[in-house]
Amino acid sequence: MLSAKQELLAALAAELDKLQPGAGERAAFESPKVAAHGDLACTAAMQLAKGLKQNPRQLGEALREALLATPAFQRWVDAIELAGPGFINIRLKDAAKQAIVAEVLQAGECFGRQAKTGQRVLVEFVSANPTGPLHVGHGRQAALGDAICNLLATQGQDVYREFYYNDAGVQINTLATSTQLRARGFKPGDAEWPSGENAAAYNGDYIQDIANDFLAKKTVKADDRTFTASGDVNDLDGMRQFAVAYLRHEQDLDLQAFEVKFDNYYLESSLYTDGHVDATVQRLIANGKTYEQDGALWLRSTDYGDDKDRVMRKSDGSYTYFVPDVAYHIQKFKRGFTRVVNIQGTDHHGTIARVRAGLQAADVGIPQGYPDYVLHTMVRVMRGGEEVKISKRAGSYVTLRDLIEWTSKDAVRFFLLSRKPDTEYVFDIDLALAQNNDNPVYYVQYAHARICSVLATFKEQGGDVAQLARADLSPLSGPQAQALMLKLAQYPGMLTAAAQDFAPHDVTFYLRELASLYHSYYDAERILVDDETIRKARLALVAATAQVLHNGLQVLGVSAPTKM
């Protein structure tokens, strides 16, 4: 069907160009909102009517007649109907819809993937401070980041995954002092322990674990560092380095459990030690984009659309947090990444304008709107109808590993991707464990496993699944089969749109709809019938469905089980 649709689109473009030169560039088909209206729809007549000073319905009728005369429409189209003020509804011949089955089976895992473009894109996500375990918000970000990377890769882009972590600043000092207090035998609630709403201390039990291993002079190894503890309770700097390495190791375990891998870990501290922060500040000063006021250095960010100018260097000489962000993104650009996507919590919304303003003020060739941002809300966790707020491991929040251990990696990924990133999400543990149609990941995976069971039976009977790509598909004429084939044909376009919009939730919606159509088809038509031609045609359709379910789940980082 994809090749048929391309031929039809080319014919449409040619006819539109005849009506108005250049109009063919905007040739497009839509899916009718009501399935009974047809298989494809075209609104070109209404779009062109005003510019051509013609009645849209009359123009639609003229376009309909012209299209019916083209070889492509004669080959693939059964009927073209005019509706309303100029809607053109197209009904495809069965052969056009049936062609998608062979296209899927021949392409296999490559179905839906576009050719390499050569464009390099860096996606930065998770980027958690090494001050504690990863919480469920980090989990949502990890699922989003990994799925967005996979989506961009399907569109032929060369994707690079990066984890940026703040190994400098006040929070790291708080981590070190909290560990030192535990090493000295103090705990939350003791008179010596910092208390109050803004107390500089981390209270989770994991701090005691770090202190115990430091006193035991243990060695910890993370993806990017190794450190051996001195065991000296007065060695605050050593304790800081040990604690960071310890928690980086813990975060590595979280990410491994979630099956998320990174190509690079970028240290905030390196921006200072390599001189990038100072160089960025000096460039902004030299460009006349700063001024001094009240003992602080300010960026003229209002020149670039920010609602107010921003402090870069405070009166105490320290930099505000967006300054290293600007230096970091200059380095991203210099490393050859002309496209960059940052996935962060909605609490980072205020940084977008100031970072982009700093990049434009630096005047190093970075385009406006760089980088792209995807912001997500936090996640609430429910169990037994009540919100779960704390974890023994973390002390004050549910960790990603808790959620995986309570449910599964697949459930956590699918659930956290099933809503738009900027909408609040409630993770229902009971639903994630349910083995019924209300559980969306179970519903989709069960459809795949159900098909695999049918195909396994066919193989046990001596059938060759590899030969199904050459099956006679003409028996696939029933309404359920046709609806299923149309949905299969939507997969590549859905992927392209989801990648453009950074919207992996669109993949979850698509997979649920595809699974629903498969279950309806399975209930309507028996697959392993006696008639060989019909049996092979139906097996080819369900095999193609399994392949697309597999491909879509792979984009989400979710497994496609063959048995359940």
Side-chain angles (χ1 to χ4, degrees), residues 105 454-472 528 532 535-543:
L105 293 177
V454 172
L455 295 174
T457 300
F458 173 62
K459 285 190 284 187
E460 289 171 2
Q461 295 172 349
D464 185 354
V465 174
Q467 297 298 316
L468 293 176
R470 291 188 285 276
D472 175 4
L528 296 174
E532 183 178 5
R535 180 172 70 251
K536 287 185 175 179
R538 292 177 179 178
L539 283 166
L541 174 57
V542 299

Side-chain angles (χ1 to χ4, degrees), residues 9 17 34 155 196 232 239 272 274 329 371 406 454 459 493 499 515 518 520 558:
L9 196 61
D17 276 333
V34 179
Q155 302 307 297
D232 181 359
M239 202 168 289
Y272 292 93
D274 294 344
H329 284 86
W406 294 341
V454 172
K459 285 190 284 187
Y518 167 71
S520 296
V558 176

Side-chain angles (χ1 to χ4, degrees), residues 1-3 5-6 9 28-31 40 100 103-104 110-114 151 154-155 485-504 506-507 510 513 548 555:
M1 182 178 172
L2 296 182
S3 57
K5 189 174 179 180
Q6 289 172 352
L9 196 61
F29 293 125
E30 301 174 6
S31 296
L40 300 173
I100 190 64
E103 290 170 350
V104 172
C110 293
F111 181 72
R113 302 182 74 89
Q114 305 302 316
L151 272 173
T154 68
Q155 302 307 297
M485 289 185 289
L486 285 171
K487 180 57 67 173
L488 292 175
Q490 292 172 10
Y491 180 71
M494 179 278 299
L495 279 185
T496 297
Q500 290 174 345
D501 296 338
F502 307 127
D506 285 351
V507 183
Y510 173 87
E513 291 169 2
V548 174
V555 168

Side-chain angles (χ1 to χ4, degrees), residues 6-24:
Q6 289 172 352
E7 288 182 36
L8 295 173
L9 196 61
L12 173 63
E15 294 305 318
L16 293 180
D17 276 333
K18 292 177 184 178
L19 292 172
Q20 185 180 74

Side-chain angles (χ1 to χ4, degrees), residues 415-431:
F415 275 47
L416 293 181
L417 291 170
S418 62
R419 294 290 184 274
K420 291 181 66 175
D422 59 356
T423 57
E424 182 178 331
Y425 186 69
V426 177
F427 191 103
D428 189 332
I429 292 172
D430 299 322
L431 178 61

